[in-house]
Amino acid sequence: CGGAAFYHLSDACLYRLTPFRVDTLAFGALIALVVRNSAWADMARRHIRHYMLAGATLLGIVVAFGFPRLLAQPGTDLPLTPILGYTAFAILYSGFVFNAVTAAGSQGWLPRQLRRRSLLLLGKYSYGMYIYHYPLSYFLNKAVIRSGMHLNRPSQVLVWGLAKVGGIAVVFIIAAISWQFLESRFMAYKVHFSLRLPASPRPRWRATVPAPR
């Protein structure tokens, strides 16, 4: 992403096109490989804090350098987001997923929080929120910029923050309605589909063990 950003590709291009999000996919694939190997998982547990600290540091740099611009123009993206921000989020998310997977089923603090009813409910509607958030965000950002043109800076920041919180609430409601009247109806058809694994082929040869002399 960073190299592509220097060539002045649009933020939307860097955010949406898969070739520019390979780092995110790579971090996820790395975690999937690590958790399947006990030796690698033990080593990762010893260093996961440093791994996530690196992601938090990158994200801190993005926020520190971009916050003045955000104050000056509420609703705009932080300038370092396409260069470092997406990678920072990929590191943090993959580290969080590693901690969640390796601690699943235990009574530790993180697994207990992830089993909370509110998070389970949010996970239930998360795909709908992912689908519907973009058109809502597009029009909401335009409305925020238009309504904040005649306000002072603190008021602009306040309007921007309230719009984000309100937007999340609205998209959650839309996703919940979509689940009840659309997604759940299609999910009911999954009982008609079953995974059929191919029968394992018979070996063409049989290992023989020589009798002891």
Side-chain angles (χ1 to χ4, degrees), residues 121-183:
L121 185 65
L122 187 62
K124 182 178 180 179
Y125 302 136
S126 61
Y127 184 72
M129 296 178 69
Y130 165 72
I131 294 296
Y132 298 118
H133 88 278
Y134 180 74
L136 178 65
S137 176
Y138 177 81
F139 291 108
L140 189 61
N141 284 339
K142 285 187 172 297
V144 168
I145 293 174
R146 190 165 51 247
S147 63
M149 292 178 60
H150 306 292
L151 300 176
N152 56 33
R153 297 289 172 78
S155 298
Q156 288 177 341
V157 174
L158 178 61
V159 169
W160 177 82
L162 292 175
K164 293 299 181 183
V165 174
I168 292 173
V170 170
V171 79
F172 179 85
I173 294 172
I174 294 173
I177 295 173
S178 175
W179 170 264
Q180 296 297 330
F181 294 99
L182 184 63
E183 296 170 48

Side-chain angles (χ1 to χ4, degrees), residues 11-12 66 69-70 73-82 86 141 164:
D11 289 358
R69 177 181 174 181
L70 186 62
Q73 299 176 332
T76 60
D77 293 329
L78 301 177
L80 290 182
T81 296
Y86 297 150
N141 284 339
K164 293 299 181 183

